[in-house]
Amino acid sequence: MRNDKLLNYLHLHFIIFIWGFTAVLGALITLEAIPLVWYRMLLATLIIFAFLKIRKENLKFSLKTLSGFALAGIIIALHWLTFFGAIKASNVSVTLAVISSGAFFTSILEPLFYKRKIIIYEVLFGLIVVGGLYIIFDVEGSYTLGIILALISAFLSALFSVINGKFVLKYKASAISFYELMFGVLGITIYLAFAEKFTTEFFTISAHDWIYLLILASVCTAYAFIASIHVMKWISPYTVMLTINMEPVYGIILALIVLGDSENMSAQFYYGAVIILITVIANGIIKITQERNRRRLSNT
């Protein structure tokens, strides 16, 4: 059991590294946020569907369960729309740093969904993250729209995590992922149809963008989406969200390497990012200490 939890925690960090690369791909793809997310979710849905058919997985669920998957699918679609919208309105570094506020939102949402008491240190860590965000916001005021979109995206990500924390206890991650992505792309499709956005230009994509979209849909979405839901069998939604705060580190480093000067930020921006990172380390120390104490008590 201990090895399972450790392996899944390491797996979570690998997934988060991939998500950091997702932000870079979002900056490299020339499409606007809505078509980018639509193509991403559509391709990922088809990939996961093929995977499920090969494995002959059961896809029959009750109407109530499918309704829950539909709600989560719409939430994740909106999360990605605001996420990539934030990248287009600011840059990768700002977006990823602000997304870390998801831990604060989760510290409030998780007790409501799981009917447990609010843990003081989780709220405290969330407030520390907000402090780091304040420093970033104060320095990078020219990216106000991007910061607001990233905050909305962070809240939606937290909401999605606590909802999936319940689903994963009953259903397979691959089936959950398929339906959530399918309902998400269906929701965007309905919007695009009513808004008459399906034009010739919408379906005109460069070879360069197709390559990045395929990587985004397969590795960064189909694989990472299923894997991130799977690890939640062993790791709480709050710890998942707080660990996701490592995404800015991986993403900002990758962005500096791949995108260069456009990602160079002021010193104060990095002070705010470091404050956010310290909360991740502190949370890890507390969680490990608590786990050791529980194990020691159970063995006595």
Side-chain angles (χ1 to χ4, degrees), residues 129-167:
V129 168
V130 171
L133 287 172
Y134 176 79
I135 294 172
I136 291 169
F137 201 111
D138 188 51
V139 175
E140 304 301 335
S142 59
Y143 295 134
T144 299
L145 176 60
I147 290 171
I148 291 170
L149 287 172
L151 279 171
I152 295 170
S153 184
F155 173 78
L156 293 169
S157 178
L159 183 59
F160 177 74
S161 290
V162 294
I163 290 174
N164 264 354
K166 284 185 171 290
F167 286 150

Side-chain angles (χ1 to χ4, degrees), residues 1 14 33 39 71 98 105 129 131 149 152 163 165-166 193 208 220 224 229 233-234 256 262 270 275 289 296 298:
M1 185 63 141
F14 178 64
Y39 278 107
L71 175 62
V98 176
F105 294 124
V129 168
L149 287 172
I152 295 170
I163 290 174
K166 284 185 171 290
H208 155 280
C220 301
I229 295 174
K233 288 184 178 180
W234 288 269
L256 286 170
S262 65
Y270 294 108
I275 288 171
T289 303
R296 191 179 299 115
S298 64

Side-chain angles (χ1 to χ4, degrees), residues 240-296:
V240 169
M241 280 306 302
L242 200 60
T243 308
I244 285 173
N245 289 334
M246 287 299 292
E247 186 178 342
V249 182
Y250 302 140
I252 289 170
I253 291 171
L254 286 168
L256 286 170
I257 293 170
V258 177
L259 303 175
D261 292 341
S262 65
E263 293 297 322
N264 286 327
M265 308 298 291
S266 66
Q268 277 185 267
F269 169 85
Y270 294 108
Y271 295 156
V274 167
I275 288 171
I276 292 170
L277 282 177
I278 289 172
T279 65
V280 177
I281 298 168
N283 177 68
I285 292 170
I286 290 175
K287 296 290 184 187
I288 291 169
T289 303
Q290 288 178 336
E291 185 67 26
R292 285 175 179 171
N293 289 339
R294 278 196 293 268
R295 198 177 297 117
R296 191 179 299 115

Side-chain angles (χ1 to χ4, degrees), residues 28-159:
L28 290 171
I29 295 170
T30 60
L31 300 177
E32 293 299 318
I34 294 176
L36 192 163
V37 174
W38 187 81
Y39 278 107
R40 176 190 189 178
M41 296 187 82
L42 177 63
L43 292 170
T45 300
L46 295 174
I47 292 167
I48 294 175
F49 181 72
F51 170 78
L52 291 170
K53 280 298 180 183
I54 292 169
R55 291 175 62 98
K56 297 180 179 179
E57 297 278 1
N58 177 36
L59 290 175
K60 293 181 180 179
F61 297 96
S62 68
L63 184 60
K64 182 180 178 181
T65 300
L66 290 174
S67 298
F69 291 160
L71 175 62
I74 296 299
I75 290 170
I76 195 61
L78 291 171
H79 159 66
W80 281 334
L81 286 170
T82 49
F83 176 75
F84 287 112
I87 290 173
K88 302 295 182 180
S90 54
N91 63 20
V92 172
S93 298
V94 169
T95 301
L96 289 178
V98 176
I99 281 289
S100 299
S101 63
F104 173 68
F105 294 124
T106 310
S107 70
I108 297 170
L109 291 172
E110 190 177 312
L112 295 176
F113 276 76
Y114 290 86
K115 295 180 180 178
R116 66 164 174 80
K117 292 180 179 179
I118 292 176
I119 299 173
I120 298 301
Y121 78 79
E122 289 185 353
V123 177
L124 177 61
F125 284 159
L127 291 173
I128 292 172
V129 168
V130 171
L133 287 172
Y134 176 79
I135 294 172
I136 291 169
F137 201 111
D138 188 51
V139 175
E140 304 301 335
S142 59
Y143 295 134
T144 299
L145 176 60
I147 290 171
I148 291 170
L149 287 172
L151 279 171
I152 295 170
S153 184
F155 173 78
L156 293 169
S157 178
L159 183 59

Side-chain angles (χ1 to χ4, degrees), residues 202-221:
F202 185 92
F203 295 104
T204 304
I205 302 175
S206 67
H208 155 280
D209 278 345
W210 268 121
I211 292 170
Y212 289 141
L213 278 170
L214 287 170
I215 296 171
L216 183 64
S218 57
V219 179
C220 301
T221 307

